């Protein structure tokens, strides 16, 4: 580096004189999040730790933003003493957004960003489990599944996976199983996963 003590010396027959300068070179901050990823996914009701790394002279002061607004004193949001780590203690849908760590020093300003999305585990709401219908009438079974991203739904009769066609239809992204003309052979135990 070019940091250091520089001395100018003037000399002639009558003597010498010198003047020293101390040079301190500052480097603007450089910031990156984690291993440089631009997207993080967290599962609802778990914690998420976001690490902001910085390089530069002098060390940058770090501030965290979410969707362009400072993250000061919000419930469930903890920032480490040095500012380098942001902890979301219990992730919820409200934590989705664009997070940025901003570093500033006398040498400049820099920012690193990461998009956070929240996944919600699949859940199936209970519904009627016993259904009795006359032969040749229609039957409709619902699987009230939710989650983020929207879960894939599969239907089974016993251990056999069911697919649309041959007397049955699937609709609503698989949430509804329809038997337009139920036969005696259609009786049995159905489940959705």
């Amino acid at each position: 580096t070019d940091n250091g003590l520089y001395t100018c010396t003037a000399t002639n027959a009558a003597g010498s004189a010198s003047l020293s300068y101390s040079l301190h070179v500052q480097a603007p901050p450089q910031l990156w999040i984690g291993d440089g990823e631009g997207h993080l996914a967290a599962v609802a009701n778990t914690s998420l730790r976001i690490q902001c790394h910085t390089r530069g002279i002098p060390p940058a002061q770090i501030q965290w933003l979410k969707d362009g607004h400072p993250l000061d004193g919000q419930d469930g949001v903890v920032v480490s003493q040095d500012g380098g780590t942001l902890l979301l203690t219990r992730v919820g849908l409200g934590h989705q957004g664009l997070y940025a760590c901003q570093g500033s020093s006398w040498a400049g300003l820099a920012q690193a960003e990461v998009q956070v999305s929240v996944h919600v585990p699949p859940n199936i709401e209970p519904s009627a489990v016993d259904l009795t219908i006359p032969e040749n009438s229609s039957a409709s079974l619902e699987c009230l599944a939710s989650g983020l991203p929207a879960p894939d739904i599969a239907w089974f009769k016993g251990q056999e996976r069911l697919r649309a066609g041959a007397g049955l239809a699937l609709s609503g992204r698989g949430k509804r199983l329809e038997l337009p003309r139920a036969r005696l052979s259609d009786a049995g135990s159905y489940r959705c996963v």
Side-chain angles (χ1 to χ4, degrees):
T1 71
D2 292 329
N3 287 328
L5 187 64
Y6 291 80
T7 303
C8 168
T9 303
T11 306
N12 66 14
S16 68
S18 62
L19 178 64
S20 294
Y21 292 92
S22 180
L23 179 65
H24 302 278
V25 178
Q26 295 185 337
Q30 294 176 318
L31 281 82
W32 66 98
I33 290 180
D35 293 326
E37 55 264 44
H39 183 265
L40 293 172
V43 175
N45 297 320
T46 64
S47 64
L48 176 65
R49 185 179 308 273
I50 306 173
Q51 191 79 35
C52 181
H53 304 281
T54 179
R55 185 177 16 218
I57 300 172
Q61 297 293 311
I62 300 206
Q63 178 184 24
W64 286 92
L65 308 167
K66 178 183 178 264
D67 298 327
H69 302 287
L71 272 174
D72 296 330
Q74 291 191 4
D75 273 351
V77 177
V78 180
V79 177
S80 64
Q81 195 167 3
D82 67 358
T85 302
L86 176 72
L87 175 66
L88 305 177
T89 57
R90 189 167 183 224
V91 175
L93 289 176
H95 290 115
Q96 290 189 120
L98 184 65
Y99 287 79
C101 63
Q102 222 173 46
S104 61
S105 72
W106 287 106
L109 177 70
Q111 180 169 300
E113 298 176 338
V114 65
Q115 183 72 38
V116 172
S117 60
V118 177
H119 292 182
V120 178
N123 181 48
I124 298 175
E125 291 181 34
S127 59
V129 291
D130 285 326
L131 186 61
T132 304
I133 58 160
E135 188 176 15
N136 292 321
S137 64
S138 66
S140 180
L141 307 176
E142 279 194 298
C143 186
L144 302 174
S146 61
L148 269 177
D152 294 323
I153 298 171
W155 283 92
F156 291 84
K157 179 182 178 192
Q159 297 301 313
E160 179 190 351
R161 183 167 181 174
L162 301 175
R163 303 203 187 281
L168 64 90
L170 296 172
S171 63
R173 295 199 61 201
K175 288 186 176 185
R176 183 184 307 266
L177 172 69
E178 297 178 44
L179 302 163
R181 295 192 62 191
R183 300 177 306 242
L184 290 174
S185 62
D186 291 325
S189 178
Y190 291 80
R191 64 186 168 93
C192 67
V193 292

